[in-house]
Amino acid sequence: MSKARALGGAVLLDLAVSPLFVWDVFTGALGRELGVGHAVLAGVFSVGLLAFMLGVLVGGRAADRVAPRRLALVALAGTVLGLLGSAAASSVLVLFVAFGVLVGGSTGLGYATAVRVAGTVATGRGLALGLVVSAYAAGSAVLAPVASTLIDAIGRRATLVVLAGALGVLLAVAAALVPGARPGARAERAGGRTRPSRSVVALWLAFGLGSAPALAAFAQAGGLAGDAAAVALAVALLNVGNLAGRLVAGPLSDRIGRRAALHANAALLVVACAPLAAGATGSVALVALLLLGTQYGALSTLTPAATSDVVPPERFGTTYGLVFTGWGVAGLVTPVTAAALAGVVGYAGVAVGFLVLAALSWACVAAYAH
């Protein structure tokens, strides 16, 4: 199978497994229909986030042993059933199972499969991973306004049915394009376990610590910008930076090397957090959030690329699944912690904490590079 066809399938696969991060679009309608509060519905997303992380962890291991096409078909079945179950849901418990567990876990499996396809190409790995992980961000960016418009026009239930059909078709096309053969073991090995093991631990820490500030910023954008009314613009800038960073970082790292790119990314995190820690507001804070989104997107591409550099192809899926749990822990802990601290030390104080995380992440990058 040609590299272009396999990558095309991986891009479509990641594009189609992005509905988890448009959950907030449905919470208004669901709250009115089911008579539940925002906190309960936020719990569905938290379960989905945990299931997504576990899906990547399990899916990465499976992707080292099972044909990508089979895994894509499993992701198709789980995503479509989860969305249809969410459409039929008349209680929050059904939503926890259908959207939280089924959609979250299935899309995590699909994400791991797509990243494994891109992360094991022979050349241009950074570019390949940049395209694939960018597709995931682009999918969420496209689905959110489309779903919002459809909810106003045809209601929540019909919108979820339409999404299930459209994403099912996209996933079927992706499954037809990705390789149908089981991954084969490579003859070459990555020279022993000591160095990869140390590097993987460093990457796990660097990914978790380095993504934590942006993950918190997505939930606290208005407060960090210093103007609650600017929350929509702040979130938009974070998303624009996220997509741009994913697209640019991969091919750049192919040119300058993964270690240099990771150091530049760590420096960008410090530059983005410094104005926020100094109490900047207005346009300066918005530019800082744009840079923070860019750093986060770039790290999302650089981490799997750096992982692929220190493990043999037959262990890439399993290893990246483990590294990805660093992001999962940060996503579960940091937004809640930042919200709690903001009431005590203010958002500038929270951003000072971001600088501490940035310094620790940079130290882990140095350990990986060494």
Side-chain angles (χ1 to χ4, degrees):
M1 177 174 288
S2 72
K3 174 183 172 182
R5 176 176 171 175
L7 282 180
V11 167
L12 287 179
L13 181 55
D14 247 11
L15 190 69
V17 294
S18 55
L20 178 63
F21 287 88
V22 301
W23 169 248
D24 198 47
V25 173
F26 296 97
T27 55
L30 284 166
R32 292 189 296 271
E33 291 177 27
L34 304 181
V36 295
H38 180 75
V40 175
L41 293 172
V44 176
F45 178 72
S46 295
V47 170
L49 194 64
L50 179 60
F52 183 86
M53 180 184 71
L54 293 175
V56 175
L57 179 63
V58 175
R61 182 176 292 274
D64 285 338
R65 298 166 173 80
V66 181
R69 185 169 299 160
R70 288 190 178 185
L71 295 177
L73 291 172
V74 173
L76 184 160
T79 301
V80 170
L81 286 174
L83 290 172
L84 291 176
S86 301
S90 56
S91 71
V92 176
L93 180 60
V94 175
L95 289 173
F96 271 101
V97 175
F99 196 91
V101 176
L102 260 180
V103 173
S106 300
T107 55
L109 172 66
Y111 183 88
T113 303
V115 170
R116 208 275 179 188
V117 171
T120 52
V121 297
T123 58
R125 223 171 272 167
L127 174 60
L129 284 163
L131 291 173
V132 168
V133 300
S134 296
Y136 188 84
S140 298
V142 170
L143 282 180
V146 169
S148 180
T149 301
L150 286 175
I151 289 171
D152 292 338
I154 61 178
R156 184 265 305 181
R157 294 180 186 273
T159 297
L160 284 164
V161 172
V162 169
L163 288 183
L167 295 179
V169 170
L170 200 57
L171 283 164
V173 175
L177 292 175
V178 295
R182 182 174 178 270
R186 299 285 185 92
E188 68 270 18
R189 297 285 169 174
R193 285 182 168 274
T194 302
R195 181 172 175 268
S197 177
R198 189 187 310 122
S199 299
V200 166
V201 171
L203 280 174
W204 184 85
L205 290 168
F207 195 21
L209 294 167
S211 61
L215 290 170
F218 275 106
Q220 307 292 329
L224 289 167
D227 182 2
V231 61
L233 178 58
V235 172
L237 289 172
L238 280 165
N239 279 305
V240 168
N242 181 23
L243 181 58
R246 289 170 186 249
L247 284 170
V248 171
L252 179 64
S253 72
D254 285 338
R255 285 180 171 272
I256 68 174
R258 230 73 76 188
R259 289 167 173 79
L262 283 167
H263 276 296
N265 183 266
L268 180 60
L269 180 56
V270 173
V271 170
C273 292
L276 300 175
T281 59
S283 58
V284 175
L286 291 173
V287 171
L289 290 173
L290 174 63
L291 294 177
L292 187 58
T294 304
Q295 175 271 331
Y296 169 71
L299 187 60
S300 299
T301 297
L302 293 174
T303 302
T307 303
S308 72
D309 288 343
V310 294
V311 296
E314 62 269 20
R315 291 209 309 266
F316 171 72
T318 300
T319 306
Y320 180 65
L322 291 170
V323 171
F324 191 82
T325 62
W327 173 91
V329 172
L332 291 170
V333 173
T334 313
V336 177
T337 304
L341 287 176
V344 179
V345 299
Y347 285 103
V350 170
V352 171
F354 290 173
L355 281 174
V356 174
L357 294 175
L360 293 172
S361 178
W362 202 340
C364 294
V365 168
Y368 168 84
H370 178 73

